[in-house]
Amino acid sequence: MERFTTGGPWESLYGYARAVKAGPWIVTAGCTATVQGDVRCVGDPAGQTKEAFRIALDAIVDAGASVGDVVRTRMYITDPMHADAVGRAHGELFGVVKPAATVVVTKLLHPEQLVQVEVEAYHVPDFPDEGDGLERRAEASVSADLPTWMVAEGMSGDGLSALADPLPEGLL
């Protein structure tokens, strides 16, 4: 089992890791749009969704997987009126991958936090090159804004680039 931390104050104070890898499974802790103690995208549920998923997916990439390995997402929102904006932001990020997804209405710790997300991925290590084009690759280079694994057809907006090499049908 491997644990991945970002060095954030809550991780050490509350005793948790940003992500944990157990065999092929990688799971993240709850992620919000809070960076260095400041809530980003205040009042913008879609912006907070993208920022929270950026943090979670950076942890997934650090653990050796990619967005194509994501099998489940959970979104905790503070107001049912935010469901459409949060769902559409999720669709921009995961529309090609289509993980199982859940939205729950709840309260969060900080009043400016509108969204918290969790991500689960199942990553099988790279297959030997058999010339069949089914190799799976995790993009380890992450930009300051969003991870580089966001390189896929049909994904756009707000500086989102798109998912690298969408996986052949049946691999998800």
Side-chain angles (χ1 to χ4, degrees):
M1 198 169 338
E2 293 179 74
R3 298 172 200 294
F4 299 84
T5 63
T6 63
W10 300 116
E11 292 174 13
S12 60
L13 185 63
Y14 290 172
Y16 72 92
R18 174 63 49 212
V20 175
K21 181 176 183 178
W25 288 100
I26 303 166
V27 297
T28 69
C31 300
T32 65
T34 305
V35 178
Q36 298 177 340
D38 294 321
V39 177
R40 293 194 175 169
C41 305
V42 173
D44 177 7
Q48 284 194 17
T49 300
K50 292 174 187 177
E51 181 65 23
F53 274 124
R54 182 194 63 80
I55 293 166
L57 290 167
D58 280 351
I60 293 289
V61 168
D62 288 345
S66 72
V67 72
D69 296 313
V70 173
V71 296
R72 173 182 287 282
T73 58
R74 291 182 187 90
M75 295 155 280
Y76 302 94
I77 61 176
T78 59
D79 186 330
M81 297 298 291
H82 300 318
D84 186 60
V86 170
R88 289 175 187 271
H90 182 274
E92 285 183 40
L93 300 171
F94 297 101
V96 173
V97 177
K98 296 192 183 334
T102 301
V103 177
V104 176
V105 179
T106 190
K107 290 185 178 185
L108 297 176
L109 293 176
H110 192 284
E112 292 180 333
Q113 293 173 337
L114 305 176
V115 181
Q116 182 172 359
V117 304
E118 296 175 355
V119 174
E120 295 179 22
Y122 186 86
H123 175 70
V124 177
D126 291 345
F127 295 109
D129 185 6
E130 298 174 13
D132 59 7
L134 297 179
E135 303 84 27
R136 295 166 70 96
R137 297 173 294 237
E139 297 290 335
S141 174
V142 179
S143 74
D145 293 330
L146 287 174
T148 57
W149 42 255
M150 291 189 151
V151 191
E153 286 186 41
M155 300 189 107
S156 64
D158 299 321
L160 299 177
S161 349
L163 261 157
D165 302 326
L167 297 174
E169 194 125 31
L171 274 185
L172 295 176

